[in-house]
Amino acid sequence: MNRIISKNGLALIKRFEGCRLTAYQDSVGVWTIGYGHTLHVSKGQTITHEQADAFLRDDCAGAEKAVNRYMDIYRWNQNQFDALVSFTFNCGAGNLRTLLGGGVRSIAQISEKIPAYRKAGGKVLRGLVNRRAAEKALFDTPVSPAGNSSCQERKPM
């Protein structure tokens, strides 16, 4: 059973990534647009909000795949999945693997370790502290049975 990120998870990523409809160079000089999209972005490029949303969904696919690799071990609920997709979108699949201890940490241990990923360039950043706190809060939020399925798992009416 593979999950996809929910609207709630996308909203979390959007909140912390912010959206820019005109290309800009990030802190290391990479041309970026939308919600942190970097593939085939060039100076002067502009997009619409709809394009930014489409780029974000495409960019989340790799993070979804990385989190889904651990589904058989953890059976993530939608909130845990969304929080970890946001984490992976921001920190990468390698840091996800480290966070999960390669699949041997418990859910409680994972939750406890999320806030540790708050540095960039060796410095604690307030934005990352806030993002990890929001991801941890979502990860720790139980899901009711009615709210536990993602769009991909729902059956047509």
Side-chain angles (χ1 to χ4, degrees):
M1 168 183 76
N2 284 334
R3 289 195 181 275
I4 59 171
I5 194 166
S6 72
K7 288 180 184 178
N8 193 31
L10 287 170
L12 177 66
I13 293 172
K14 286 178 175 184
R15 181 172 132 209
F16 286 101
E17 290 293 328
C19 183
R20 291 169 108 182
L21 301 178
T22 301
Y24 65 97
Q25 286 183 291
D26 69 9
S27 60
V28 294
V30 176
W31 286 103
T32 307
I33 202 162
Y35 300 99
H37 179 76
T38 58
L39 189 62
H40 306 299
V41 178
S42 57
K43 181 179 180 178
Q45 183 177 353
T46 60
I47 59 172
T48 65
H49 277 287
E50 292 77 18
Q51 288 170 310
D53 286 343
F55 284 154
L56 177 59
R57 285 201 173 274
D58 288 346
D59 292 343
C60 281
E64 290 169 337
K65 184 176 179 180
V67 177
N68 273 317
R69 281 190 192 111
Y70 295 91
M71 184 60 83
D72 288 343
I73 298 168
Y74 293 105
R75 300 284 181 209
W76 309 118
N77 71 36
Q78 190 66 48
N79 287 339
Q80 292 166 334
F81 183 83
D82 288 348
L84 292 176
V85 170
S86 174
F87 175 91
T88 306
F89 183 90
N90 183 241
C91 296
N95 280 312
L96 173 68
R97 187 172 38 260
T98 302
L99 173 67
L100 304 181
V104 299
R105 287 202 173 118
S106 69
I107 295 288
Q109 289 170 324
I110 294 165
S111 173
E112 183 182 300
K113 299 260 182 212
I114 291 171
Y117 294 80
R118 61 196 180 156
K119 292 182 180 180
K123 295 182 181 183
V124 174
L125 300 182
R126 172 54 53 197
L128 292 179
V129 170
N130 294 341
R131 184 174 187 151
R132 297 293 97 81
E135 289 165 348
K136 182 181 181 337
L138 181 59
F139 186 87
D140 293 340
T141 302
V143 175
S144 66
N148 198 20
S149 61
S150 69
C151 296
Q152 190 175 34
E153 297 170 340
R154 290 191 188 130
K155 294 186 170 121
M157 296 184 159

